[in-house]
Amino acid sequence: MSTRIVVIGADATGMSAAHQALRSARSHGREVEVTVLEATEHTSYSACGLPYWISGEVPSGDDLVARSPEQHRAMGVDLRTGARVLRVDAERREVRYRHGGAEQVLGYDELVIATGAHPIVPAWAQVEGVAKPGLGVVKNLDDGALWLDRLTASSGRHVVIAGGGYVGIEMAEAALARGHRVTLAARSRLLSMLEPGMSALLADTLKAAGVEVLLDTAVDGVDHDDQGRLRAVLAGARRIEADYLILALGVVPATEFLAGSGVPLTERGALRPDPSGRVAPGVWAGGDCCEVRHRVLDDWRYLPLGTHANKMGRAIGENLGGGELVFPGALGSAITRFSAPGGYLEVAATGLNLQQARAAGFDAVEVVTEGTTASGYHPDAAPIRISLVGDRATGRLLGGQVLGGRGAAKRIDVVAMALWSNLTAHDLAWADLAYAPPFATAWEIISLASRRLAERLG
Amino acid sequence: MSTRIVVIGADATGMSAAHQALRSARSHGREVEVTVLEATEHTSYSACGLPYWISGEVPSGDDLVARSPEQHRAMGVDLRTGARVLRVDAERREVRYRHGGAEQVLGYDELVIATGAHPIVPAWAQVEGVAKPGLGVVKNLDDGALWLDRLTASSGRHVVIAGGGYVGIEMAEAALARGHRVTLAARSRLLSMLEPGMSALLADTLKAAGVEVLLDTAVDGVDHDDQGRLRAVLAGARRIEADYLILALGVVPATEFLAGSGVPLTERGALRPDPSGRVAPGVWAGGDCCEVRHRVLDDWRYLPLGTHANKMGRAIGENLGGGELVFPGALGSAITRFSAPGGYLEVAATGLNLQQARAAGFDAVEVVTEGTTASGYHPDAAPIRISLVGDRATGRLLGGQVLGGRGAAKRIDVVAMALWSNLTAHDLAWADLAYAPPFATAWEIISLASRRLAERLG
């Protein structure tokens, strides 16, 4: 008997799960048939790449597509695009979905929920679920195409971005690259999880490149003219004349269709899969509709990132085919950069910042260290700033952040590896990292930073 | 009673030990006096930086000096330059040295041997210890000044380099940058510890930049004309017309003055300090005159690298002042790059390669993975090639190598961190590394490479 696997959502988690299930079943001598229901016409695209398409660095939206629907089908997946799931009945193991105007019901033995996340669109920004004219999010390929059209139709417009997170900063870069005037309004600081000094340096870099940066500014309204054209963006008493408003306010789990399904959700609508990926008997979930286990906190956190999505999908698929693979949790490692003629800055973070560590009950200490990415005398040397947070009770490293010039931010992976293995700051300080003048100082800045933290932890 | 500490050698290990001893003694309420004997007039310089000074990237030799003799003295160290140690008597705790023509004897309570290494100068290349005309090594600031003079006096000369290691490759870059014709003769391959495919790619890059690369070519003689000017470099039956010959044949521990001292040496003249840095009662040693414990092999290896030198010096100094600090061994992490108008390539290695792993008795498997440093569609994406070696018996990672374009090689630190914590290939594959399109693929190439290795290890 062939196991009927139904996957909802054809992006990173869903398609990883689909293909890995086929591979795993083959290697375990099992039979599976995999049906994927996808609401849009797109599959396996890089949402993270949208800003670089809009900016012009990536020539075509097709470049962002790892695998097209045709390719997935050729690999043995029954992929149904334009199929929006309406309801799941976990008891009867049925999915109800709309496809080409008609409602259909599909039975399954195993269900994979991989619906990702919805971008947040506040009530003031929409009319019946549709963003008002001149406004838009940056989530999928259709959004990308829309912003590409808008930002290349003319230059010199005033683009306002609401949100100081990764997408907001990347879109500021894209809008600048297209020759627009850019205002970025952040509810608090830029990348608010950053150590405040880093956040300020990031804001300075955006300003140096010509971006107007408004901190502690929550956009809460828009004003359209009689023709329905965007005229201004409102933030409290503030009125910002604007041609466009990019909404980069974060995402929430796309799980509304699970109401009443019998599949348990958190208050905020997230799924919490066990390490194998299971959320209920016969139901699996992964990706941005889920929380993940944070390894430093040993608790659940909503960390919607493509890296986990791929890994969770793979684990689910392997397990569906008869294997045994565990998603071992995450650290929240993330990275981005801002790059414009007037400024270049890389930034990355992993684990807990000081505030998060203290909130979690750690006796946490933060040390900020400044240095260079290469030997000070070498022309490739760029400034770098590292924040490390450690636990006074155990000496253990709890998190880190890196900000700096070219070559700075990917060093975060060294901190991530230390967290992954529960190392102390002292352990990290003495690890054998590679040195040569174009790449590091003789005491690599990460070693120096962790040595200083170890000394502070005593 | 003040402890009399005598340090031999005023570079990374020696001066780290000297200053840390003073700091440590202060914090432990002890009294120490530190005398440093240095044969040359230079202190604390970056030997690794010499090629970048000779190439012109670093404007002055002074830039390579982290701290001058005056600075060290101002910090409380009794530094005696031009003081060459002739003999150590570990029984009587005395050092005999020559200073300004006179021999002097200095008693000590604790002795630190930090004499580093001598560059190898074969018998055919020297006359009574002095390199023949047109020949030279690249080891200290005087060597740097000599090559700077020679290579900037004119351009278009033919510079032959004997040795395909790090220094040989870096000097090829420097000689090219100064407008010379360059031939690099390597005894076997370029960076012979590299996976052969990587070594070949490196050779291709040097060739593309205009370097004549001669593999399996051991230089074994020189021919000078009647005026004593270098005419040709000889390698077996091969005769290479040449203006200069750079000797980059490696180094040996500088321990000849310890003959008969009572301090134990290996057959090859190296010291083997215990984790605290001690080699005999009252005698400590660190840096390039020592072997280090290789953490993957759990055995001694001669890995003369500045990173260990600094760390060992710090540990010794801390312990001399009353603290307790252990040098936890090394992995042999190393990195370099070749950069010229015609080609750019970064390369790095850590832990064991396949051959070393098998020689050490591991049931070792190597997997080579190719990919890109950034998302394939992103303009910053450069090719990257990763070799990972693992142990079939335990699944444990044993070593790795990385070669590629800008941003490739420093990823070696992630592999080093995995080795540092004895992780399996599977552990590394699932670690939470940072992803964004300008910095990585969604499955970071290191994760992908280790996943493939884990699959092969079964």
Side-chain angles (χ1 to χ4, degrees):
Chain A
M1 270 290 295
S2 183
T3 303
R4 295 168 306 159
I5 298 171
V6 171
V7 177
I8 312 177
D11 203 356
T13 302
M15 297 320 295
S16 290
H19 291 293
Q20 190 63 26
L22 292 171
R23 272 192 296 268
S24 173
R26 268 196 301 277
S27 78
H28 293 95
R30 298 203 183 177
E31 296 245 327
V32 299
E33 50 191 71
V34 180
T35 305
V36 178
L37 303 175
E38 165 58 39
T40 74
E41 297 300 324
H42 306 298
T43 58
S44 304
Y45 65 93
S46 166
C48 304
L50 293 172
Y52 307 101
W53 174 32
I54 297 167
S55 73
E57 284 188 274
V58 175
S60 157
D62 291 344
D63 295 330
L64 302 184
V65 178
R67 274 193 195 132
S68 67
E70 296 67 39
Q71 289 171 311
H72 286 301
R73 290 186 186 116
M75 294 171 76
V77 173
D78 175 6
L79 170 67
R80 305 181 191 177
T81 55
R84 179 173 300 278
V85 170
L86 305 171
R87 231 174 23 251
V88 168
D89 187 332
E91 183 90 18
R92 302 176 60 170
R93 301 209 174 191
E94 279 178 4
V95 172
R96 175 175 294 269
Y97 67 101
R98 191 194 310 275
H99 193 226
E103 284 194 18
Q104 309 206 21
V105 171
L106 189 63
Y108 64 81
D109 298 311
E110 305 285 347
L111 178 69
V112 179
I113 300 167
T115 42
H118 294 306
I120 293 173
V121 182
W124 54 258
Q126 52 168 290
V127 179
E128 289 171 16
V130 177
K132 291 181 179 171
L135 280 59
V137 297
V138 187
K139 187 62 176 64
N140 62 30
L141 288 170
D142 294 332
D143 303 326
L146 177 66
W147 283 113
L148 186 68
D149 279 354
R150 285 173 170 174
L151 299 187
T152 54
S154 59
S155 62
R157 299 307 193 93
H158 188 196
V159 178
V160 177
I161 298 165
Y166 288 93
V167 175
I169 288 162
E170 290 158 8
M171 285 305 295
E173 175 182 323
L176 275 185
R178 292 299 188 180
H180 299 286
R181 194 153 68 81
V182 180
T183 297
L184 193 155
R187 209 170 307 161
S188 57
R189 302 189 274 112
L190 295 194
L191 298 183
S192 59
M193 82 295 181
L194 283 187
E195 176 263 325
M198 288 192 188
S199 187
L201 286 166
L202 180 59
D204 289 346
T205 301
L206 267 75
K207 287 177 199 167
V211 178
E212 181 187 29
V213 177
L214 305 175
L215 303 182
D216 301 308
T217 303
V219 170
D220 55 12
V222 278
D223 177 31
H224 284 77
D225 68 15
D226 293 346
Q227 281 79 49
R229 273 206 315 243
L230 180 64
R231 198 154 52 180
V233 172
L234 312 175
R238 188 165 200 147
R239 183 184 167 85
I240 309 159
E241 306 293 321
D243 296 298
Y244 295 114
L245 173 61
I246 296 172
L247 299 166
L249 298 165
V251 299
V252 291
T255 55
E256 64 289 343
F257 64 95
L258 290 174
S261 66
V263 177
L265 295 172
T266 69
E267 254 180 58
R268 304 171 78 180
L271 294 152
R272 288 184 168 173
D274 73 15
S276 73
R278 221 181 248 102
V279 290
V283 186
W284 310 68
D288 292 359
C289 55
C290 298
E291 293 182 1
V292 296
R293 285 304 284 190
H294 192 292
R295 286 168 64 100
V296 180
L297 282 173
D298 193 21
D299 200 357
W300 295 98
R301 273 294 177 279
Y302 187 53
L303 300 171
L305 291 164
T307 42
H308 319 324
N310 277 295
K311 286 180 185 139
M312 293 166 90
R314 189 176 179 89
I316 291 168
E318 179 64 23
N319 295 332
L320 283 170
E324 273 186 45
L325 195 52
V326 155
F327 174 72
L331 303 166
S333 305
I335 188 170
T336 193
R337 57 151 218 206
F338 176 80
S339 174
Y344 180 93
L345 202 61
E346 301 180 356
V347 60
T350 189
L352 307 181
N353 67 17
L354 181 63
Q355 200 177 4
Q356 291 165 334
R358 289 190 172 156
F362 290 105
D363 183 6
V365 173
E366 175 177 45
V367 170
V368 175
T369 301
E370 293 187 316
T372 53
T373 56
S375 290
Y377 55 76
H378 195 276
D380 286 359
I384 183 171
R385 182 183 176 103
I386 296 184
S387 149
L388 293 180
V389 174
D391 176 24
R392 216 190 300 258
T394 60
R396 184 181 157 209
L397 198 70
L398 298 173
Q401 303 183 340
V402 182
L403 173 141
R406 213 167 283 276
K410 248 301 192 176
R411 277 169 157 89
I412 202 67
D413 286 346
V414 173
V415 182
M417 289 302 296
L419 295 179
W420 199 254
S421 299
N422 276 314
L423 298 194
T424 64
H426 178 82
D427 292 335
L428 175 56
W430 289 76
D432 187 8
L433 306 179
Y435 156 67
F439 296 101
T441 39
W443 276 97
E444 151 74 57
I445 183 72
I446 292 270
S447 309
L448 186 62
S450 46
R451 202 179 83 193
R452 292 186 62 231
L453 176 61
E455 285 164 4
R456 276 286 300 284
L457 295 174
Chain B
M1 271 288 296
S2 183
T3 303
R4 294 168 308 160
I5 298 171
V6 171
V7 177
I8 312 177
D11 203 355
T13 301
M15 297 320 296
S16 290
H19 291 294
Q20 191 62 26
L22 291 172
R23 271 192 297 269
S24 173
R26 268 197 299 278
S27 78
H28 293 95
R30 298 202 185 178
E31 295 247 324
V32 298
E33 51 193 68
V34 180
T35 304
V36 178
L37 304 175
E38 165 58 39
T40 74
E41 297 300 324
H42 305 299
T43 58
S44 305
Y45 65 93
S46 168
C48 304
L50 293 171
Y52 307 100
W53 175 31
I54 297 167
S55 73
E57 283 188 276
V58 175
S60 157
D62 292 343
D63 295 331
L64 301 184
V65 177
R67 274 193 195 131
S68 67
E70 295 66 40
Q71 289 171 312
H72 286 302
R73 290 185 186 118
M75 293 171 76
V77 174
D78 176 6
L79 170 66
R80 305 180 191 177
T81 55
R84 179 173 298 279
V85 170
L86 305 171
R87 234 180 14 256
V88 167
D89 186 332
E91 182 90 20
R92 301 177 59 172
R93 302 211 173 189
E94 279 179 3
V95 172
R96 176 175 295 268
Y97 67 100
R98 192 193 312 275
H99 192 227
E103 283 193 17
Q104 308 206 21
V105 172
L106 188 64
Y108 65 80
D109 298 312
E110 305 286 346
L111 178 69
V112 180
I113 300 167
T115 43
H118 294 307
I120 293 172
V121 182
W124 55 258
Q126 52 168 288
V127 179
E128 290 171 13
V130 177
K132 290 180 179 171
L135 281 59
V137 296
V138 188
K139 187 62 177 62
N140 61 31
L141 288 171
D142 293 333
D143 303 327
L146 176 66
W147 283 114
L148 187 68
D149 278 355
R150 285 173 169 174
L151 299 187
T152 55
S154 59
S155 62
R157 300 308 196 91
H158 187 196
V159 177
V160 177
I161 298 165
Y166 287 92
V167 175
I169 288 162
E170 289 159 8
M171 285 305 295
E173 175 181 322
L176 275 184
R178 292 301 189 179
H180 299 285
R181 193 154 69 80
V182 180
T183 296
L184 193 155
R187 207 171 309 160
S188 58
R189 301 188 274 112
L190 295 193
L191 298 183
S192 58
M193 81 295 180
L194 284 187
E195 177 263 326
M198 288 193 189
S199 187
L201 286 166
L202 181 58
D204 289 347
T205 301
L206 267 74
K207 287 177 197 165
V211 177
E212 182 188 28
V213 177
L214 306 176
L215 303 181
D216 300 309
T217 303
V219 170
D220 54 12
V222 279
D223 177 31
H224 284 78
D225 67 14
D226 294 345
Q227 283 79 49
R229 274 207 315 242
L230 180 64
R231 197 154 55 180
V233 171
L234 312 174
R238 188 163 199 148
R239 182 183 166 85
I240 308 158
E241 307 292 320
D243 296 300
Y244 295 114
L245 173 61
I246 296 172
L247 299 165
L249 298 166
V251 298
V252 292
T255 55
E256 64 290 342
F257 64 95
L258 289 175
S261 67
V263 177
L265 295 172
T266 68
E267 255 180 56
R268 303 171 78 180
L271 294 152
R272 287 184 168 173
D274 72 15
S276 72
R278 223 183 246 100
V279 290
V283 186
W284 310 69
D288 291 1
C289 54
C290 298
E291 292 183 359
V292 295
R293 285 303 285 190
H294 193 293
R295 285 168 65 101
V296 180
L297 282 173
D298 193 21
D299 199 359
W300 295 98
R301 274 295 179 279
Y302 187 52
L303 300 171
L305 291 165
T307 42
H308 319 322
N310 277 295
K311 285 179 185 138
M312 294 167 90
R314 189 175 179 90
I316 291 169
E318 181 63 24
N319 295 332
L320 283 171
E324 274 184 46
L325 196 52
V326 155
F327 175 72
L331 303 166
S333 304
I335 187 169
T336 193
R337 56 151 220 209
F338 176 80
S339 175
Y344 180 92
L345 203 61
E346 300 180 356
V347 60
T350 188
L352 307 181
N353 66 17
L354 181 63
Q355 200 177 5
Q356 291 166 334
R358 288 189 172 156
F362 290 104
D363 183 6
V365 173
E366 176 176 44
V367 171
V368 175
T369 301
E370 293 186 317
T372 52
T373 56
S375 290
Y377 56 76
H378 194 276
D380 286 358
I384 183 170
R385 181 183 175 101
I386 296 183
S387 149
L388 292 180
V389 174
D391 176 25
R392 216 189 301 258
T394 60
R396 185 181 155 207
L397 197 70
L398 298 174
Q401 304 183 340
V402 181
L403 173 141
R406 214 167 284 276
K410 248 301 191 175
R411 277 167 158 88
I412 201 68
D413 286 346
V414 174
V415 182
M417 289 303 295
L419 295 178
W420 198 255
S421 299
N422 277 313
L423 298 194
T424 64
H426 178 82
D427 293 333
L428 175 55
W430 288 76
D432 186 9
L433 305 180
Y435 156 67
F439 296 100
T441 39
W443 276 99
E444 151 74 55
I445 183 71
I446 291 270
S447 310
L448 187 62
S450 46
R451 203 179 82 194
R452 293 186 61 231
L453 176 62
E455 284 163 5
R456 277 285 300 284
L457 294 174

